[in-house]
Amino acid sequence: MIENVVISAGGTGGHISPGVALAEILVQKKESFSVSSVYIHSLYRNKDNPDLIAPPCPVLWHNVPQFKGLKILIFPILFFIEFIKTVISFQKRKITTVIGMGGYSSLPSILYAILFRKKLFLCEQNCIPGKITRIFQTFSNKIALSFPIVQSINLRVENKVIGNPIRNRIIPEHLNIRQNENLHDSKKNIVNVLVLGGSQGARQLNNMIIKTMENVEIAQKFRFRLLTGNALYEETIDKAKGPAEIISYANDMKPNYEWANIVVARSGAGVLAECLMYGLPMILIPYPFAADNHQKENAEFVEREGAAVTIHSTSEDPTELVRHLLNWKSNPTIMKEMGHNSLRLSNVNAAYQTVLYFLPH
């Protein structure tokens, strides 16, 4: 059977980037998977997302409303209008298969697949499955997981841990941990620390790093590159005193990962997958208000596997971060071992393997 596939990749970058990675594979290997056409279904407000500015396939835009802030009587009307638009658009293109990447914005696509008896596959990025996965799992054919899910949650349909799909432009040319090999050989080298607060930035992380750089020993042994997020760039620049490379946002993350020896970050699935692929040790500070506290579970999984340490804190106190950094600098074998563990957890072929799992030859 010839497939016409739509990938529902709205919401945040954590849903969009792996969806676009799947689209790249489907477009490149249409004949192998008996695919005629590929589309991405995403929100209008994502038009400026870097992954959707030059997408590998056409994007079908929609404007499904968020329940937040809407009166209970208005939401169903607005949602119904957008759903009807989705149905018309999908039927016009004879969609046979829907791949849902999670988030509320995938709901119109998922409902279309259910109501019109189309193939439905779900991708779950986090250790705690999102509400969309939990609610609609029994309607799906298969679920692809980025990380093992917590034991307290039972998925009742066929599922497999494959890894988070990664865009082609982020994949390194060579899979190794060369960034840290020289640090193992010589204690004199300056350690490069890449700090990532996500596309929206993280004020807590930014301020914690600024305070960390004020430590004299840290300033002598570490060099920081801080990606603040566009909204927090100016205030971070104003506060910074120590030497640091402060950037608002980077469309091309590959040079940053290649530069880094250590990453300090939140623990969204996308950032974790990319850092693992570069064999980078991580200090993770989970966002405590993430849905179902899924970032905490993501971080603790990677920590149990020996590729990261986790700081559970909502404060800007740098004490624990300073302790970890100086400990790693004094014991470079720790970073080397964590780098090996990081690389072991990665899957550079996750996008291809996910598509193959959904649409076997």
Side-chain angles (χ1 to χ4, degrees):
M1 177 182 175
I2 301 299
E3 307 284 355
N4 295 309
V5 182
V6 65
I7 299 168
S8 185
T12 65
H15 300 300
I16 295 169
S17 185
V20 174
L22 297 183
E24 288 177 339
I25 295 297
L26 284 166
V27 169
Q28 292 168 7
K29 300 183 179 294
K30 280 185 176 181
E31 293 184 4
S32 298
F33 293 105
S34 299
V35 169
S36 174
S37 56
V38 184
Y39 303 94
I40 293 170
H41 196 230
S42 193
L43 290 164
Y44 278 111
R45 66 178 173 82
N46 291 326
K47 280 197 169 184
D48 293 329
N49 183 284
D51 288 318
L52 295 176
I53 291 176
C57 65
V59 180
L60 308 177
W61 302 104
H62 68 93
N63 198 27
V64 64
Q66 288 180 285
F67 186 77
K68 181 181 179 182
L70 287 177
K71 293 182 180 179
I72 192 168
L73 293 177
I74 298 177
F75 176 82
I77 296 171
L78 296 178
F79 181 87
F80 182 74
I81 292 171
E82 289 300 319
F83 177 64
I84 293 301
K85 290 180 181 178
T86 296
V87 169
I88 294 171
S89 175
F90 285 13
Q91 288 190 332
K92 178 182 177 181
R93 293 168 175 82
K94 299 180 180 179
I95 299 300
T96 62
T97 302
V98 171
I99 300 175
M101 304 305 298
Y104 81 95
S105 63
S106 65
L107 192 53
S109 300
I110 290 173
L111 290 178
Y112 174 85
I114 294 171
L115 293 176
F116 292 91
R117 298 180 181 275
K118 306 302 180 182
K119 294 177 184 176
L120 174 62
F121 303 105
L122 300 178
C123 289
E124 178 53 56
Q125 289 85 36
N126 299 300
C127 292
I128 295 184
K131 288 184 176 65
I132 291 294
T133 299
R134 298 200 302 268
I135 293 171
F136 294 101
Q137 59 165 306
T138 55
F139 296 100
S140 66
N141 298 76
K142 294 178 181 178
I143 302 175
L145 305 173
S146 294
F147 299 109
I149 61 172
V150 294
Q151 293 181 352
S152 59
I153 295 178
N154 179 38
L155 295 179
R156 299 184 297 277
V157 297
E158 181 181 342
N159 61 86
K160 183 179 181 180
V161 178
I162 297 174
N164 204 41
I166 302 292
R167 293 288 312 270
N168 282 333
R169 62 186 176 87
I170 299 177
I171 296 174
E173 295 181 12
H174 305 287
L175 296 178
N176 56 40
I177 60 164
R178 61 180 174 73
Q179 294 98 324
N180 293 318
E181 295 293 342
N182 60 340
L183 296 174
H184 176 67
D185 295 335
S186 173
K187 294 184 180 181
K188 297 180 180 180
N189 290 301
I190 297 295
V191 179
N192 294 335
V193 182
L194 178 64
V195 185
L196 305 173
S199 58
Q200 303 302 313
R203 182 175 281 106
Q204 177 201 5
L205 259 66
N206 294 345
N207 291 341
M208 186 184 292
I209 292 301
I210 289 171
K211 293 176 181 178
T212 298
M213 291 187 299
E214 294 173 358
N215 181 287
V216 175
E217 192 173 0
I218 289 288
Q220 293 173 344
K221 297 179 178 180
F222 294 87
R223 179 167 46 215
F224 292 85
R225 180 177 293 179
L226 173 57
L227 274 67
T228 64
N230 291 325
L232 301 176
Y233 175 73
E234 294 295 338
E235 74 169 55
T236 307
I237 285 286
D238 291 341
K239 293 177 182 177
K241 296 179 182 178
E245 188 177 354
I246 299 177
I247 304 169
S248 60
Y249 184 77
N251 286 332
D252 184 6
M253 283 301 298
K254 182 185 284 190
N256 294 299
Y257 289 130
E258 290 175 340
W259 172 87
N261 302 118
I262 297 171
V263 169
V264 179
R266 294 300 196 195
S267 48
V271 168
L272 292 183
E274 292 171 6
C275 291
L276 294 175
M277 190 170 56
Y278 279 84
L280 289 167
M282 290 169 273
I283 299 175
L284 301 174
I285 308 171
Y287 179 57
F289 307 110
D292 301 311
N293 210 8
H294 67 260
Q295 286 207 9
K296 171 180 176 292
E297 295 296 336
N298 292 350
E300 290 181 351
F301 165 72
V302 178
E303 183 175 40
R304 286 195 300 272
E305 295 292 328
V309 295
T310 302
I311 298 175
H312 295 290
S313 174
T314 58
S315 80
E316 299 169 0
D317 182 358
T319 303
E320 194 170 356
L321 176 58
V322 168
R323 179 173 61 81
H324 284 304
L325 289 174
L326 293 179
N327 180 46
W328 287 8
K329 179 60 177 171
S330 300
N331 301 279
T333 53
I334 295 176
M335 281 197 292
K336 184 176 183 180
E337 182 179 355
M338 294 184 82
H340 282 295
N341 289 332
S342 193
L343 203 59
R344 173 178 57 81
L345 292 175
S346 68
N347 184 1
V348 69
N349 295 313
Y352 174 79
Q353 291 175 9
T354 298
V355 173
L356 183 62
Y357 179 56
F358 291 157
L359 302 172
H361 297 323

